[in-house]
Amino acid sequence: RTNAQSRSFEETLVRYDVPYNIVGGLRFYDRKEIKDVLCYLRAIANPADTVSLKRIINTPRRGIGKATLDRLEQAAQQLNMPLWEILQEETSVKTLAGRSAKAVLGFAEMMHTWQQQAETLKASDIVQGILDDSGYVDDLKAQGTDEADDRLGNVQELYNAVLQFEEENEESNLMMFLASASLASDLDNMDENANKVSLMTLHSSK
C-alpha cells in the first residue's frame, strides 16, 4: 500500500537475482532519505569516507554552506589528510569555517561519539540514536508535508530492515548490515534487457 513496503520484496528479489523495477517510484535504496541515513552509518563505520561526510554534514541543514565545506576540504587536500581529521581540529575549523564553526564542531562531536560506540552497540541502536541526535527525524516531522511523511515511513522501514537483519544474523554488527545494504542496492549485475518483476503500490496499479 505504501512505497516503504517495497523494501522486503526488493531484498528478496535481489537475493534470488530476479530483475525488477519500481513503477511510479524509486527503488528503496535509491531514495534520498535512505541514502542520507546510510551515509551517516558509513561515516560512523569509516570516518575516512569523505563522500558520505560531505553528503550529511549539512543534512538536515545546520548552517554549513558549500563555501565553508569547500574551504575545509581544500585544507584537508593540502595537508594530505582525510576531511574527517580537519573537522575535528578545533583551531582549523574556527579559522576556516567562521560563523559556521560551532555547527561544524557540533557535527564532528556527535559523529565522534557514535564512532566510539560503533563496535559495542547493535546496528539498530546506532540507527535510532543517530536519527535522533542528528535531527533528521525531527526535521521531517517539522516539514509536515505528505512527502515528508512518506520519507519518515521509509526511514522507519530502514530501521525495520536493521532489526530484521539482526534477527537473521546472530553475530551481526554495523559493518555487516552496511555490506548487506550495499548488496541490496547493487543492481549493476542485472541484465537490463531481461524480463522483470514490476513492483507498484495499489494506487499506482489503478
Side-chain angles (χ1 to χ4, degrees):
R1 292 188 58 85
T2 67
N3 285 320
Q5 291 176 308
S6 73
R7 192 268 309 169
S8 57
F9 292 102
E10 291 183 58
E11 290 184 353
T12 301
L13 291 170
V14 169
R15 191 176 300 138
Y16 290 98
D17 290 328
V18 178
Y20 71 93
N21 69 304
I22 302 289
V23 177
L26 293 171
R27 294 184 176 98
F28 184 78
Y29 286 96
D30 287 341
R31 294 165 192 168
K32 177 188 181 300
E33 57 279 10
I34 301 306
K35 288 184 174 181
D36 289 343
V37 178
L38 288 178
C39 279
Y40 269 104
L41 300 180
R42 290 188 184 114
I44 289 170
N46 176 21
D49 186 344
T50 296
V51 172
S52 292
L53 278 174
K54 288 171 64 177
R55 182 182 180 106
I56 61 174
I57 194 170
N58 198 43
T59 304
R61 291 181 181 176
R62 300 182 174 90
I64 304 171
K66 183 180 183 301
T68 296
L69 184 55
D70 286 346
R71 285 195 297 273
L72 291 164
E73 187 173 20
Q74 187 175 30
Q77 290 171 350
Q78 289 173 349
L79 294 169
N80 195 28
M81 62 173 58
L83 175 62
W84 173 244
E85 291 191 25
I86 287 287
L87 298 182
Q88 294 185 96
E89 285 286 339
E90 185 173 348
T91 301
S92 298
V93 171
K94 287 183 176 178
T95 301
L96 296 166
R99 288 179 296 178
S100 301
K102 184 177 180 181
V104 172
L105 292 170
F107 169 79
E109 183 180 358
M110 174 189 69
M111 295 299 291
H112 180 65
T113 297
W114 285 105
Q115 287 162 5
Q116 288 182 309
Q117 302 179 77
E119 292 187 9
T120 57
L121 287 180
K122 295 191 300 183
S124 55
D125 291 335
I126 296 171
V127 172
Q128 188 64 63
I130 200 66
L131 286 173
D132 291 340
D133 287 358
S134 67
Y136 199 92
V137 167
D138 287 342
D139 181 67
L140 288 175
K141 288 179 178 178
Q143 292 177 33
T145 64
D146 289 343
E147 181 181 355
D149 286 345
D150 285 343
R151 292 184 186 277
L152 273 172
N154 288 330
V155 169
Q156 179 60 49
E157 184 57 30
L158 180 63
Y159 178 71
N160 292 341
V162 180
L163 291 177
Q164 180 180 334
F165 182 80
E166 289 173 344
E167 288 176 3
E168 295 173 353
N169 300 273
E170 202 169 304
E171 299 298 322
S172 66
N173 56 33
L174 180 60
M175 290 296 290
M176 290 173 63
F177 171 72
L178 287 172
S180 171
S182 178
L183 177 65
S185 62
D186 182 12
L187 300 167
D188 292 341
N189 60 343
M190 290 190 175
D191 183 358
E192 286 297 317
N193 297 316
N195 291 327
K196 298 181 181 180
V197 172
S198 293
L199 300 177
M200 69 196 79
T201 61
L202 287 171
H203 179 76
S204 295
S205 71
K206 297 174 184 177

